[in-house]
Amino acid sequence: MSIWTRIGEALAALAKGEGLLAVFDRLRTPPDRSVAFTIAVIALGAKMAKADGHVSRNEVRAFRDVFVIAPEEEENAARVFDLARQDVAGYDIYARRIKAMFGDHEGPLCDLLEGLFHIALADGSYHQTEDAFLQEVAAIFGFDERRFQRIRAQFVPDAERDPYAVLGVDAEAPMDQVRAAWAQLVRDTHPDRMIARGVPPEAVKLAERRMVAINRAWEEIRAKR
């Protein structure tokens, strides 16, 4: 059963008048984490599009930069987008509900934030409203400014790129510590690891850009040292 069929079933279970937020209360067991992750990316992506002022049904196409969406499944993806866009609940409420669902597990929250960056950059530009939106979501998720800038540098073309920040180590760290940090990030970015923490197989291409950034940072540090 595809992730989109499972999402369609989750939406069908909503009672009349219930909003998309009600879905999150029913998706707390591990088998449903990939459904929750997918809905969270689409819901927050819809809120981000609304905040940016560029809302249209074609926005759903931006999610192709994160997910594999078969033509026959576009209706389910579009319905999630529309429900989130029409919901009067603010994006901060969504972000807090998602944070509560994943708790202290930073992995899926980081994956989710990266998915939102993919969507923000899907049209080839990055707006101030998107940056402010993503920074606030990151703060709700519990990420500090350094962590946010580290993720931002993977996506925004004109962002300052500190290879040590990308690997999460100090510039004075010994080489064996830098190597260990790089190796751990490579392991954490493996598709099997991502799927295990809730990223659906349809979205494992999220790993591609992160892996490029990780390896580029490692090679840059090696060259300098």
Side-chain angles (χ1 to χ4, degrees):
M1 185 185 298
S2 77
I3 187 71
W4 303 109
T5 300
R6 290 160 61 197
I7 286 174
E9 292 177 350
L11 296 181
L14 289 174
K16 185 176 181 180
E18 278 190 310
L20 190 59
L21 278 172
V23 174
F24 291 111
D25 292 330
R26 301 168 185 168
L27 299 175
R28 297 190 179 280
T29 56
D32 291 320
R33 285 294 177 89
S34 58
V35 174
F37 178 91
T38 305
I39 291 177
V41 173
I42 296 176
L44 284 176
K47 293 293 186 182
M48 181 168 60
K50 188 174 181 179
D52 190 41
H54 300 287
V55 182
S56 72
R57 193 169 182 80
N58 290 334
E59 288 279 357
V60 176
R61 296 176 184 173
F63 298 103
R64 290 188 179 281
D65 200 46
V66 179
F67 300 104
V68 175
I69 307 176
E72 64 272 18
E73 300 284 11
E74 286 189 355
E75 185 175 345
N76 284 328
R79 188 177 174 207
V80 177
F81 182 89
D82 287 341
L83 282 171
R85 186 176 61 182
Q86 296 163 11
D87 196 333
V88 296
Y91 72 90
D92 55 327
I93 297 176
Y94 273 81
R96 289 190 176 89
R97 189 69 60 86
I98 293 161
K99 165 63 176 172
M101 181 184 303
F102 289 104
D104 294 329
H105 299 288
E106 287 192 354
L109 293 172
C110 184
D111 296 329
L112 202 161
L113 189 62
E114 290 184 7
L116 293 175
F117 268 102
H118 272 278
I119 293 167
L121 272 295
D123 62 356
S125 60
Y126 186 65
H127 305 283
Q128 283 187 330
T129 50
E130 291 170 327
D131 188 70
F133 179 97
L134 291 170
Q135 194 160 15
E136 179 61 24
V137 169
I140 292 172
F141 285 174
F143 298 152
D144 60 19
E145 180 66 18
R146 183 179 181 186
R147 182 75 174 274
F148 174 75
Q149 294 300 333
R150 168 181 156 191
I151 297 172
R152 185 179 185 273
Q154 297 178 31
F155 296 92
V156 182
D158 61 349
E160 182 180 346
R161 286 174 171 77
D162 179 353
Y164 294 98
V166 170
L167 298 185
V169 296
D170 293 330
E172 297 79 19
M175 198 61 180
D176 59 344
Q177 183 180 337
V178 177
R179 183 184 292 106
W182 164 74
Q184 183 62 54
L185 286 171
V186 168
R187 288 192 292 271
D188 290 343
T189 307
H190 190 281
D192 288 345
R193 287 278 187 97
M194 297 182 72
I195 291 171
R197 61 180 179 254
V199 178
E202 291 87 347
V204 293
K205 61 181 179 179
L206 273 175
E208 294 175 3
R209 190 173 296 191
R210 187 194 298 177
M211 190 66 81
V212 168
I214 291 168
N215 287 330
R216 181 174 56 200
W218 167 242
E219 292 301 331
E220 186 177 338
I221 293 171
R222 286 182 63 190
K224 286 181 179 179
R225 295 278 183 107

